[in-house]
Amino acid sequence: MGGGGAGANSGGSPAGARVPVPPARPFLDTFRANLKETFFPDDPFRSVVRERGAARRTLAALRYFFPFLEWAPAYTLGAFRADLVAGITIASLAIPQGISYAKLANLPPILGLYSSFVPPLVYALMGSSKDLAVGTVAVASLLIGSMLGSEVSPTENPALYLHLALTATFFAGVFQASLGLLRLGFIVDFLSHATIVGFMGGAATVVCLQQLKGILGLERFTTSTDVVSVMDSVFSQTHQWRWESVLLGSGFLFFLLVTRFISKRRPKLFWISAAAPLTSVILGSVLVYLTHAENHGIQVIGYLKKGLNPPSVTSLQFSPPYMMLALKTGIITGVIALAEGIAVGRSFAMFKNYNIDGNKEMIAIGTMNIVGSFTSCYLTTGPFSRSAVNYNAGCKTAMSNVVMSLAVMFTLLFLTPLFHYTPLVVLSAIIISAMLGLIDYQGAIHLWQVDKVDFCVCMGAYLGVVFGSVEIGLVVAVSISILRVLLFIARPRTTMLGNVPNTMIYRRMDQYTTAQTVPGVLVLRIDAPIYFTNASYLRERILRWIDEEEERTQGKGEMGVQYVVLDMAVGSIDTSGTSMLDELKKTLERRGMQIVLANPGSEMMKKLDSSKVLELIGHEWIFPTVGEAVSSCDYVLHSHKPGVVMDSAAAHENMV
């Protein structure tokens, strides 16, 4: 096994700098470049820098933070007509949903209308999405209700509960805006697609189960969200079920589902499902008023205060013992709302072929929640159902949010008394109808077919929410996702490469069945950066590859391993990685083998050069491609000139 490999590094002269070491750059320049790539990969201020003069740069900066300054000067009457129709359409959906979701958060129903008035105005000024329709969402409402309700009773201490909800909204807004200003939007990416599918599905299931209280006409119900507690609360009160409520709720739920089915089958009839919730509220209110159903067990909303949002700055709680509860609730709900809003905005931006800035969206969503907390609004974002209606209605700009806001304002000023007789069971039916669309079972099936680990992440989130709590489900899902990332880093894949016949191309042998090994040469690819977390594992795994190849060749009577070629197409390496290569070089040398590096990047070459590992391995054993590296090794093995290494041109000619 010995002669060719051991002697290949002794005698002769280097074949030249096949892979040059990049010139050294000042540390501050490198640090500045890395910082820009990490936090400003999209170079957001390039439009500002390009402008000449302080006034023009100021205007460009204002356009960056207030995107309405870009589209407002060129706004046309035709665009306004489209936005007017879209705004009125989403207002018909926002009003009943706002009232319903406020009840889900155990807040006064009027807060749902308040939250559909001020935040959309702020987003219209600062948001970059043309299609996002702002308002309250069911999952965030459920989170607020469950997290705050575990510490403060909304029935026994409603004033404190309301103040904490507003404070949590303030903290959520500060956290969201801070992520955008500090360019830390990548933190939200830890909520993977699989995590969101499972979490949203679990939360939707829990929300639907919670609505059994309204459908069955129960007055007392568990505050827990897990399925066991909910089922126990439902079936322990069978004697209190009201058939009137069940009949009314089932009828309206059937109506809502039918309209949704029609709109899905015929997208041009989207307005049918969009108007169905408000239609249900109107029909339910008329029915209760005419039949006096409130005297027969049908619970109604009751009095709703007329008028616009009252200021609530003085209601925010910044003192113990409840401030930490509001802070925790705000951060968790803020992340969930942010992930949903940005995902929805990007989805519709893709349909219309334009881009939205994630960090800019975080600033906009955070600002509207901060302003909302000052004006009696609770947490808002861009819900998918409302945004889908906005998109299908043909909106052109964020002006549709302004139209919706004005429609809600008109409702607050003049129409709130009309909601007095709205039955709670109708609100429950509206919530269930909306939540069924969030249970993406087709997405879960797709995850199972494509990636079993992602499916486990999805199911971990779903089961954690359904059988534990919303917080437990979120923690389980994020933990599994982070664990998977750590495993990718700590246990990177290494694969054996073979030569595709009649080419200089080397590919994975388990994928390309025609790929062949080169006698005496073992080619391995490392599929991850080499860091302290995986350096020891990679050394052991490479040695195991060598042992396995030695056993295979000895069993067949073939030439043993003389050269180990490492395809180093990895992003970077740290000092632990360079030490690992140093140790691997010495270990292989003792076994009569030579390590050869192929395709190292500029950062790796600089690290290897500064750590003297490049000198130890030898410049002549560094190649720009795997084909040239293997060709040179094969030439040395068969030329009986162990001290001579081919240059790149000769290696290419030899292989061809």
Coordinates of all heavy atoms in Angstrom, one line a residue, residues 153-235:
S153 N -57.9 36.2 35.1 CA -59.2 35.8 34.7 C -59.9 37.0 33.9 O -60.1 38.1 34.5 CB -60.1 35.4 35.8 OG -61.5 35.2 35.4
P154 N -60.3 36.8 32.7 CA -61.0 37.9 31.9 C -62.4 38.2 32.4 O -62.9 39.2 32.2 CB -61.1 37.3 30.5 CG -61.0 35.8 30.6 CD -60.1 35.6 31.8
T155 N -63.0 37.3 33.2 CA -64.3 37.5 33.8 C -64.2 38.1 35.2 O -65.0 39.0 35.5 CB -65.1 36.2 33.8 OG1 -64.4 35.2 34.6 CG2 -65.4 35.7 32.4
E156 N -63.3 37.7 36.0 CA -63.2 38.3 37.3 C -62.4 39.6 37.4 O -62.7 40.4 38.2 CB -62.5 37.2 38.2 CG -63.2 35.9 38.4 CD -62.4 34.9 39.2 OE1 -61.3 35.3 39.7 OE2 -62.9 33.8 39.4
N157 N -61.5 39.8 36.5 CA -60.7 41.0 36.4 C -60.6 41.5 35.0 O -59.5 41.6 34.4 CB -59.4 40.8 37.1 CG -58.7 42.1 37.6 OD1 -59.1 43.2 37.2 ND2 -57.7 42.0 38.4
P158 N -61.7 41.9 34.4 CA -61.7 42.3 33.0 C -60.8 43.5 32.6 O -60.2 43.5 31.6 CB -63.1 42.5 32.6 CG -63.8 42.8 33.9 CD -63.1 42.0 34.9
A159 N -60.8 44.5 33.5 CA -60.0 45.7 33.3 C -58.5 45.4 33.2 O -57.8 45.8 32.3 CB -60.3 46.7 34.4
L160 N -58.0 44.6 34.2 CA -56.6 44.2 34.2 C -56.2 43.4 32.9 O -55.2 43.5 32.3 CB -56.2 43.5 35.5 CG -54.8 42.9 35.6 CD1 -53.8 44.0 35.5 CD2 -54.6 42.1 36.9
Y161 N -57.2 42.4 32.6 CA -56.9 41.6 31.5 C -56.8 42.4 30.2 O -55.9 42.2 29.4 CB -58.1 40.6 31.4 CG -57.9 39.6 30.2 CD1 -57.3 38.4 30.4 CD2 -58.5 39.8 29.0 CE1 -57.1 37.5 29.4 CE2 -58.3 38.9 27.9 CZ -57.6 37.7 28.2 OH -57.5 36.8 27.1
L162 N -57.7 43.4 30.0 CA -57.7 44.3 28.9 C -56.4 45.0 28.8 O -55.7 45.1 27.8 CB -58.9 45.2 28.9 CG -58.9 46.3 27.8 CD1 -58.9 45.7 26.4 CD2 -60.1 47.2 28.0
H163 N -55.9 45.6 29.9 CA -54.7 46.3 30.0 C -53.5 45.5 29.6 O -52.6 45.9 28.9 CB -54.5 47.0 31.4 CG -55.6 48.0 31.7 ND1 -55.7 48.5 33.0 CD2 -56.5 48.6 30.9 CE1 -56.7 49.4 33.0 NE2 -57.2 49.4 31.7
L164 N -53.5 44.2 30.1 CA -52.4 43.3 29.7 C -52.4 43.0 28.3 O -51.3 42.8 27.6 CB -52.5 42.1 30.6 CG -52.2 42.2 32.1 CD1 -52.3 40.9 32.8 CD2 -50.7 42.7 32.3
A165 N -53.6 42.8 27.7 CA -53.7 42.5 26.2 C -53.1 43.7 25.4 O -52.4 43.5 24.4 CB -55.1 42.2 25.8
L166 N -53.4 44.9 25.8 CA -52.9 46.1 25.1 C -51.4 46.2 25.3 O -50.6 46.6 24.4 CB -53.6 47.4 25.6 CG -55.1 47.4 25.3 CD1 -55.7 48.7 26.0 CD2 -55.4 47.5 23.8
T167 N -50.9 45.9 26.5 CA -49.5 45.9 26.8 C -48.7 44.9 26.0 O -47.6 45.1 25.5 CB -49.2 45.7 28.3 OG1 -50.0 46.6 29.1 CG2 -47.7 45.9 28.7
A168 N -49.3 43.7 25.9 CA -48.7 42.6 25.1 C -48.6 43.0 23.7 O -47.6 42.7 23.0 CB -49.5 41.3 25.3
T169 N -49.6 43.7 23.2 CA -49.6 44.2 21.8 C -48.5 45.2 21.6 O -47.8 45.2 20.6 CB -50.9 44.9 21.5 OG1 -52.0 43.9 21.6 CG2 -51.0 45.4 20.0
F170 N -48.3 46.1 22.6 CA -47.2 47.1 22.6 C -45.8 46.4 22.5 O -45.0 46.7 21.7 CB -47.3 48.0 23.8 CG -46.1 48.9 23.9 CD1 -46.0 50.1 23.2 CD2 -45.0 48.6 24.8 CE1 -44.9 50.9 23.3 CE2 -43.9 49.5 24.9 CZ -43.9 50.6 24.1
F171 N -45.6 45.4 23.4 CA -44.3 44.7 23.4 C -44.2 43.9 22.1 O -43.0 43.8 21.6 CB -44.3 43.7 24.6 CG -44.0 44.4 25.9 CD1 -44.7 44.2 27.0 CD2 -42.9 45.3 26.0 CE1 -44.5 44.8 28.2 CE2 -42.6 45.9 27.2 CZ -43.4 45.7 28.3
A172 N -45.2 43.3 21.5 CA -45.1 42.6 20.3 C -44.7 43.6 19.2 O -43.8 43.3 18.3 CB -46.5 42.0 19.9
G173 N -45.3 44.8 19.1 CA -44.9 45.8 18.1 C -43.5 46.3 18.3 O -42.8 46.4 17.3
V174 N -43.0 46.5 19.5 CA -41.6 46.9 19.7 C -40.7 45.8 19.3 O -39.7 46.1 18.6 CB -41.4 47.2 21.2 CG1 -39.9 47.4 21.5 CG2 -42.2 48.5 21.6
F175 N -41.0 44.6 19.6 CA -40.2 43.4 19.2 C -40.1 43.3 17.7 O -39.0 43.1 17.1 CB -40.7 42.2 19.8 CG -39.9 40.9 19.5 CD1 -38.6 40.8 20.1 CD2 -40.4 39.9 18.7 CE1 -37.9 39.6 19.8 CE2 -39.6 38.8 18.4 CZ -38.4 38.7 19.0
Q176 N -41.3 43.4 17.0 CA -41.3 43.3 15.6 C -40.6 44.4 14.9 O -39.8 44.1 14.0 CB -42.8 43.3 15.1 CG -43.6 42.1 15.5 CD -45.1 42.3 15.4 OE1 -45.6 43.4 15.4 NE2 -45.8 41.2 15.2
A177 N -40.8 45.6 15.3 CA -40.1 46.7 14.7 C -38.6 46.7 14.9 O -37.8 47.0 14.0 CB -40.6 48.1 15.2
S178 N -38.2 46.2 16.1 CA -36.8 46.1 16.4 C -36.1 45.0 15.5 O -35.0 45.3 15.1 CB -36.6 45.7 17.9 OG -37.1 46.7 18.8
L179 N -36.8 43.9 15.3 CA -36.2 42.9 14.4 C -36.0 43.5 13.0 O -34.9 43.3 12.3 CB -37.1 41.7 14.2 CG -37.3 40.8 15.4 CD1 -38.2 39.7 15.1 CD2 -35.9 40.2 15.8
G180 N -36.9 44.4 12.5 CA -36.7 45.0 11.2 C -35.6 46.0 11.2 O -34.8 46.1 10.3
L181 N -35.6 46.9 12.2 CA -34.6 47.9 12.3 C -33.2 47.4 12.4 O -32.2 47.9 11.9 CB -34.9 48.9 13.4 CG -36.1 49.8 13.2 CD1 -36.5 50.5 14.5 CD2 -35.8 50.8 12.1
L182 N -33.0 46.3 13.2 CA -31.7 45.7 13.5 C -31.4 44.6 12.4 O -30.4 43.9 12.5 CB -31.7 45.1 14.9 CG -31.9 46.0 16.0 CD1 -31.9 45.3 17.3 CD2 -30.8 47.1 16.0
R183 N -32.3 44.5 11.4 CA -32.0 43.6 10.3 C -31.9 42.1 10.8 O -31.0 41.4 10.4 CB -30.8 44.0 9.5 CG -30.7 45.4 9.1 CD -31.7 45.8 8.1 NE -31.5 45.2 6.8 CZ -32.3 45.3 5.8 NH1 -33.3 46.1 5.8 NH2 -32.0 44.7 4.6
L184 N -32.7 41.8 11.8 CA -32.7 40.4 12.4 C -33.8 39.6 11.9 O -34.3 38.7 12.6 CB -32.7 40.5 13.9 CG -31.5 41.3 14.5 CD1 -31.6 41.4 16.0 CD2 -30.2 40.5 14.2
G185 N -34.3 39.8 10.7 CA -35.5 39.1 10.2 C -35.2 37.6 10.1 O -36.2 36.8 10.0
F186 N -33.9 37.2 9.9 CA -33.7 35.8 9.8 C -34.1 35.0 11.0 O -34.2 33.8 10.9 CB -32.2 35.6 9.5 CG -31.2 36.1 10.5 CD1 -30.9 35.3 11.6 CD2 -30.7 37.3 10.5 CE1 -30.1 35.7 12.6 CE2 -29.8 37.8 11.5 CZ -29.5 37.0 12.5
I187 N -34.3 35.6 12.1 CA -34.7 34.9 13.3 C -36.1 34.2 13.0 O -36.4 33.1 13.5 CB -34.8 35.8 14.5 CG1 -33.4 36.3 14.9 CG2 -35.5 35.2 15.7 CD1 -33.4 37.3 16.1
V188 N -36.9 34.9 12.3 CA -38.3 34.4 12.0 C -38.1 33.1 11.1 O -39.0 32.3 11.1 CB -39.1 35.4 11.3 CG1 -40.5 34.9 10.9 CG2 -39.3 36.7 12.2
D189 N -37.0 33.0 10.4 CA -36.8 31.8 9.5 C -36.7 30.5 10.3 O -36.8 29.5 9.7 CB -35.6 32.0 8.6 CG -35.8 33.2 7.6 OD1 -37.0 33.5 7.3 OD2 -34.8 33.8 7.1
F190 N -36.5 30.6 11.6 CA -36.4 29.4 12.4 C -37.8 28.8 12.5 O -37.9 27.6 12.9 CB -35.8 29.7 13.8 CG -34.3 29.8 13.8 CD1 -33.7 31.0 13.9 CD2 -33.6 28.6 13.8 CE1 -32.3 31.1 13.9 CE2 -32.2 28.7 13.8 CZ -31.6 29.9 13.8
L191 N -38.8 29.5 12.2 CA -40.1 28.9 12.0 C -40.3 28.4 10.6 O -40.7 29.1 9.7 CB -41.2 30.0 12.3 CG -41.4 30.4 13.8 CD1 -42.4 31.5 13.9 CD2 -41.7 29.3 14.7
S192 N -39.9 27.2 10.4 CA -39.8 26.6 9.0 C -41.3 26.4 8.5 O -42.2 26.5 9.2 CB -39.1 25.3 9.0 OG -39.8 24.3 9.8
H193 N -41.3 26.1 7.2 CA -42.6 25.9 6.6 C -43.4 24.7 7.3 O -44.6 24.8 7.6 CB -42.5 25.6 5.1 CG -43.7 25.1 4.4 ND1 -44.8 25.9 4.2 CD2 -44.1 23.9 3.9 CE1 -45.7 25.3 3.6 NE2 -45.3 24.0 3.4
A194 N -42.6 23.7 7.6 CA -43.2 22.5 8.3 C -43.7 22.9 9.7 O -44.8 22.4 10.1 CB -42.2 21.4 8.4
T195 N -43.0 23.7 10.4 CA -43.4 24.2 11.7 C -44.7 25.0 11.6 O -45.6 24.8 12.4 CB -42.3 25.1 12.3 OG1 -41.1 24.4 12.4 CG2 -42.7 25.6 13.7
I196 N -44.8 25.9 10.6 CA -46.0 26.7 10.5 C -47.2 25.9 10.1 O -48.3 26.1 10.6 CB -45.7 27.8 9.4 CG1 -44.6 28.8 10.0 CG2 -47.0 28.6 9.1 CD1 -44.2 29.9 9.0
V197 N -47.0 24.9 9.2 CA -48.1 24.0 8.8 C -48.7 23.3 10.0 O -49.9 23.3 10.2 CB -47.7 23.1 7.7 CG1 -48.7 22.0 7.5 CG2 -47.4 23.8 6.4
G198 N -47.8 22.7 10.8 CA -48.2 22.0 12.0 C -48.8 22.8 13.0 O -49.9 22.5 13.6
F199 N -48.2 24.0 13.3 CA -48.6 24.9 14.3 C -50.0 25.5 14.0 O -50.9 25.5 14.8 CB -47.6 26.0 14.6 CG -48.0 27.0 15.6 CD1 -47.8 26.7 16.9 CD2 -48.6 28.2 15.3 CE1 -48.2 27.6 17.9 CE2 -48.9 29.1 16.2 CZ -48.8 28.8 17.5
M200 N -50.1 25.9 12.7 CA -51.4 26.5 12.3 C -52.5 25.5 12.3 O -53.6 25.8 12.7 CB -51.2 27.2 10.9 CG -50.4 28.4 10.9 SD -51.1 29.8 11.9 CE -50.0 31.1 11.5
G201 N -52.2 24.3 11.9 CA -53.2 23.3 11.9 C -53.6 22.9 13.3 O -54.8 22.7 13.6
G202 N -52.7 22.8 14.2 CA -53.0 22.5 15.6 C -53.8 23.6 16.2 O -54.8 23.4 17.0
A203 N -53.4 24.9 16.0 CA -54.1 26.0 16.6 C -55.5 26.1 16.0 O -56.5 26.4 16.7 CB -53.3 27.3 16.3
A204 N -55.7 25.8 14.7 CA -57.0 25.8 14.1 C -57.9 24.7 14.7 O -59.1 25.0 15.0 CB -56.9 25.6 12.6
T205 N -57.3 23.6 15.0 CA -58.1 22.5 15.6 C -58.5 22.9 17.0 O -59.7 22.7 17.4 CB -57.2 21.2 15.7 OG1 -56.8 20.8 14.4 CG2 -58.0 20.1 16.3
V206 N -57.6 23.5 17.7 CA -58.0 23.9 19.1 C -59.0 25.0 19.1 O -60.0 25.0 19.9 CB -56.7 24.4 19.8 CG1 -57.0 25.2 21.1 CG2 -55.7 23.3 20.1
V207 N -58.9 25.9 18.1 CA -59.9 27.0 18.0 C -61.3 26.4 17.7 O -62.3 26.8 18.3 CB -59.5 28.0 16.9 CG1 -60.6 29.0 16.6 CG2 -58.2 28.8 17.4
C208 N -61.3 25.5 16.8 CA -62.6 24.9 16.4 C -63.2 24.2 17.7 O -64.4 24.3 17.9 CB -62.4 23.9 15.3 SG -62.0 24.6 13.7
L209 N -62.4 23.5 18.4 CA -62.9 22.8 19.6 C -63.4 23.8 20.6 O -64.4 23.5 21.3 CB -61.8 21.9 20.2 CG -61.4 20.7 19.4 CD1 -60.2 20.0 20.0 CD2 -62.5 19.7 19.2
Q210 N -62.7 24.9 20.8 CA -63.2 25.9 21.7 C -64.5 26.5 21.3 O -65.3 26.9 22.2 CB -62.1 27.1 21.7 CG -60.8 26.8 22.5 CD -61.0 26.8 24.0 OE1 -61.8 27.6 24.5 NE2 -60.2 26.0 24.7
Q211 N -64.8 26.5 20.0 CA -66.1 27.1 19.6 C -67.3 26.2 19.9 O -68.5 26.6 19.7 CB -66.1 27.4 18.1 CG -65.0 28.4 17.7 CD -64.9 29.5 18.7 OE1 -65.9 30.3 18.9 NE2 -63.8 29.7 19.3
L212 N -67.0 25.0 20.4 CA -68.1 24.1 20.8 C -68.9 24.7 22.0 O -70.1 24.4 22.1 CB -67.6 22.7 21.3 CG -67.0 21.9 20.1 CD1 -66.4 20.6 20.7 CD2 -68.1 21.5 19.1
K213 N -68.3 25.6 22.7 CA -69.0 26.3 23.8 C -70.1 27.1 23.2 O -71.3 27.1 23.7 CB -68.0 27.2 24.5 CG -68.7 28.1 25.5 CD -67.8 29.2 26.1 CE -68.5 30.1 27.1 NZ -67.6 31.2 27.6
G214 N -69.9 27.9 22.1 CA -70.9 28.7 21.5 C -71.9 27.8 20.7 O -73.1 28.1 20.8
I215 N -71.4 26.8 20.0 CA -72.3 26.0 19.2 C -73.3 25.2 20.1 O -74.5 25.1 19.8 CB -71.5 25.0 18.4 CG1 -70.7 25.7 17.3 CG2 -72.4 24.0 17.7 CD1 -71.5 26.4 16.2
L216 N -72.9 24.8 21.3 CA -73.7 24.0 22.2 C -74.5 24.9 23.2 O -75.3 24.4 23.9 CB -72.9 23.0 22.9 CG -72.2 21.9 22.1 CD1 -71.2 21.0 22.9 CD2 -73.2 21.1 21.3
G217 N -74.2 26.2 23.2 CA -74.9 27.1 24.1 C -74.5 26.9 25.5 O -75.3 27.2 26.4
L218 N -73.2 26.5 25.8 CA -72.7 26.4 27.2 C -72.3 27.7 27.8 O -71.7 28.6 27.1 CB -71.6 25.4 27.2 CG -71.8 24.0 26.7 CD1 -70.5 23.2 26.6 CD2 -72.9 23.3 27.5
E219 N -72.6 27.9 29.0 CA -72.2 29.1 29.7 C -70.9 29.0 30.4 O -70.1 30.0 30.5 CB -73.3 29.5 30.7 CG -74.7 29.9 30.1 CD -75.7 30.3 31.1 OE1 -75.3 30.5 32.3 OE2 -76.8 30.6 30.7
R220 N -70.6 27.8 30.9 CA -69.3 27.6 31.6 C -68.5 26.7 30.7 O -69.0 25.7 30.1 CB -69.5 27.0 33.0 CG -70.1 27.9 34.0 CD -70.2 27.3 35.3 NE -71.1 26.1 35.3 CZ -70.7 24.9 35.4 NH1 -69.4 24.6 35.4 NH2 -71.6 23.9 35.4
F221 N -67.2 27.0 30.6 CA -66.3 26.2 29.7 C -64.9 26.3 30.3 O -64.5 27.2 30.9 CB -66.4 26.7 28.3 CG -66.1 25.7 27.3 CD1 -67.0 24.6 27.0 CD2 -64.9 25.7 26.5 CE1 -66.7 23.7 26.0 CE2 -64.6 24.8 25.5 CZ -65.6 23.7 25.3
T222 N -64.1 25.2 30.0 CA -62.7 25.2 30.4 C -61.9 26.3 29.8 O -62.1 26.7 28.6 CB -62.1 23.8 30.1 OG1 -60.7 23.8 30.6 CG2 -62.1 23.5 28.6
T223 N -60.9 26.8 30.5 CA -60.0 27.8 30.0 C -58.8 27.1 29.3 O -58.0 27.8 28.6 CB -59.5 28.8 31.1 OG1 -58.9 28.0 32.1 CG2 -60.6 29.6 31.6
S224 N -58.6 25.8 29.5 CA -57.5 25.1 28.9 C -57.8 24.9 27.4 O -59.0 24.9 27.0 CB -57.4 23.7 29.6 OG -57.1 23.8 30.9
T225 N -56.7 24.7 26.6 CA -56.9 24.6 25.2 C -56.6 23.2 24.7 O -56.9 22.9 23.5 CB -55.9 25.5 24.5 OG1 -54.6 25.3 24.9 CG2 -56.3 27.0 24.8
D226 N -56.1 22.3 25.5 CA -55.8 20.9 25.1 C -57.1 20.1 24.8 O -58.2 20.4 25.4 CB -54.9 20.2 26.0 CG -55.6 20.0 27.4 OD1 -55.7 21.0 28.2 OD2 -56.1 18.9 27.6
V227 N -57.1 19.2 23.9 CA -58.2 18.5 23.4 C -58.9 17.7 24.6 O -60.1 17.5 24.6 CB -57.9 17.6 22.2 CG1 -56.9 16.5 22.6 CG2 -59.1 17.0 21.6
V228 N -58.1 17.1 25.5 CA -58.6 16.3 26.6 C -59.5 17.2 27.5 O -60.6 16.8 27.8 CB -57.5 15.6 27.4 CG1 -58.1 14.9 28.6 CG2 -56.7 14.7 26.5
S229 N -59.0 18.3 27.9 CA -59.8 19.2 28.8 C -61.0 19.7 28.1 O -62.1 19.8 28.7 CB -58.9 20.4 29.2 OG -57.8 20.0 29.9
V230 N -60.9 20.0 26.8 CA -62.1 20.5 26.1 C -63.2 19.5 25.9 O -64.4 19.7 26.2 CB -61.7 21.0 24.7 CG1 -62.9 21.4 23.8 CG2 -60.8 22.3 24.8
M231 N -62.8 18.3 25.6 CA -63.7 17.2 25.5 C -64.4 16.8 26.8 O -65.6 16.5 26.9 CB -63.1 15.9 24.9 CG -62.7 16.1 23.4 SD -64.1 16.2 22.3 CE -64.2 18.0 22.0
D232 N -63.6 16.9 27.9 CA -64.1 16.6 29.2 C -65.2 17.7 29.6 O -66.2 17.4 30.1 CB -63.0 16.6 30.2 CG -63.5 16.4 31.6 OD1 -64.0 15.3 31.9 OD2 -63.4 17.4 32.5
S233 N -64.9 19.0 29.2 CA -65.8 20.0 29.5 C -67.1 19.9 28.7 O -68.2 20.2 29.2 CB -65.1 21.4 29.2 OG -66.0 22.5 29.6
V234 N -66.9 19.5 27.5 CA -68.1 19.3 26.6 C -69.0 18.2 27.1 O -70.3 18.4 27.3 CB -67.7 19.0 25.1 CG1 -68.9 18.6 24.3 CG2 -67.1 20.3 24.5
F235 N -68.5 17.0 27.4 CA -69.3 15.8 27.7 C -69.7 15.7 29.1 O -70.5 14.9 29.5 CB -68.6 14.6 27.2 CG -68.5 14.4 25.7 CD1 -67.4 14.7 25.0 CD2 -69.7 14.1 25.0 CE1 -67.3 14.6 23.6 CE2 -69.6 13.9 23.6 CZ -68.5 14.2 22.9

